[in-house]
Amino acid sequence: MTESTPGRRRGDDLEHAIFDAALAELAEVGYANVRMEAVAARAKAGKASLYKRWPDRARLIQAAARYKATEVEPSFEPSGDLRGDMRKVMRHIAGQQASPFGEAIRGWIGELKSTPDEVTEDLRTRIETPRIRIFAKIYEDGVARGTVKPEALHPRVVNLAPGLLTHYFLTRAEPATDDVIEEFLDHVLMPLIATGESAERLEES
C-alpha cells in the first residue's frame, strides 16, 4: 500500500493518529526501544509519512508530547472551592504523568543535551503554560473571593503546584499519589496562598 492509496488519513487526522501510535508504542516498549517503523505500522501509515515530518524518534516523541500537553483541561473554571479545585487539577496532572505522555517527558529529559534549545523551550512552554493558566485562574478567583492572598499571583507561586508534581515525578519515576497531593496541599500550598479566613473555613470543615 502506497502513500497515495485512497482512503488513507491525511493532515491533522494522520498526524494525530501517528502521535497516538507513538505514545502507545512508548508505553509498551519504553523510550529506548521506540522505532519509527513500529510507530508507522501501529498508526497504519507509511514510514515516509513519519520521516517527512520528523527526522528521528526524539523529534517525533517531542511532537507527540506537545500534542498531548494541550489536554490539561483548558476550559476549567473555578468552583469557589479553593482546595477542591487545586486537588482536581493536581490529580489530572498526575494522571497525565502516569500515561504514555509521562514516559515521553522522561524520554525527552534524557535527550536534552542533543535537543536544540528552541525545541526544548517550545516543549517546556507547551507543557507548563496551560497548567500555569489554570492555577492562575483558580488563584485569581480566590483573591476575588477573599480566600487567596494577592501575593499568590506571583508567577513563581502560581507555578509551584505543577512544579512540585513535576519534581516528584522526575525524581521518583512515578506520579504523585493522592496522599502525596494531599500533603502538598496541606503542608505547602494552602499555608502559602490561603488567607486566614480560608484557613478557618478548612479547619471548620
Side-chain angles (χ1 to χ4, degrees), residues 5-184:
T5 300
R8 184 178 289 280
R9 289 168 294 193
R10 287 176 170 76
D12 289 345
D13 285 344
L14 173 60
E15 192 167 87
H16 293 169
I18 292 172
F19 290 156
D20 288 336
L23 292 171
E25 187 72 13
L26 185 67
E28 186 172 308
V29 304
Y31 187 87
N33 296 314
V34 171
R35 298 289 179 269
M36 299 286 271
E37 295 80 0
V39 173
R42 189 183 284 265
K44 296 181 172 57
K47 187 169 62 175
S49 297
L50 274 69
Y51 282 107
K52 188 192 305 185
R53 293 167 171 80
W54 310 282
D56 52 41
R57 173 192 65 189
R59 299 298 180 89
L60 171 58
I61 296 301
Q62 288 158 9
R66 286 197 298 271
Y67 158 68
K68 208 67 178 174
T70 62
E71 297 183 359
V72 188
E73 301 189 39
S75 60
F76 180 87
E77 292 295 335
S79 69
D81 176 2
L82 174 62
R83 191 181 185 284
D85 285 345
M86 293 174 67
R87 181 175 59 233
K88 180 178 180 180
V89 177
M90 291 173 77
R91 283 177 171 172
H92 181 84
I93 293 172
Q96 274 201 324
Q97 291 170 341
S99 73
F101 170 78
E103 187 68 26
I105 296 306
R106 272 200 291 267
W108 166 62
I109 292 293
E111 297 201 9
L112 274 179
K113 287 185 178 180
S114 61
T115 303
D117 290 344
E118 63 273 15
V119 174
T120 297
E121 187 57 32
D122 176 63
L123 182 53
R124 181 181 293 112
T125 299
R126 285 177 180 261
I127 293 170
E128 292 180 353
T129 299
R131 297 173 177 179
I132 292 171
R133 284 176 179 165
I134 290 174
F135 279 98
K137 189 182 292 187
I138 293 172
Y139 293 179
E140 287 166 359
D141 180 74
V143 169
R145 294 174 184 272
T147 58
V148 172
K149 302 171 186 175
E151 53 267 34
L153 298 179
H154 188 284
R156 295 289 186 187
V157 180
V158 173
N159 194 33
L160 181 57
L164 287 170
L165 293 172
T166 298
H167 181 268
Y168 188 96
F169 172 66
L170 293 177
T171 57
R172 303 295 183 90
E174 62 182 13
T177 63
D178 285 350
D179 287 345
V180 171
I181 290 173
E182 298 288 342
E183 290 176 0
F184 284 157

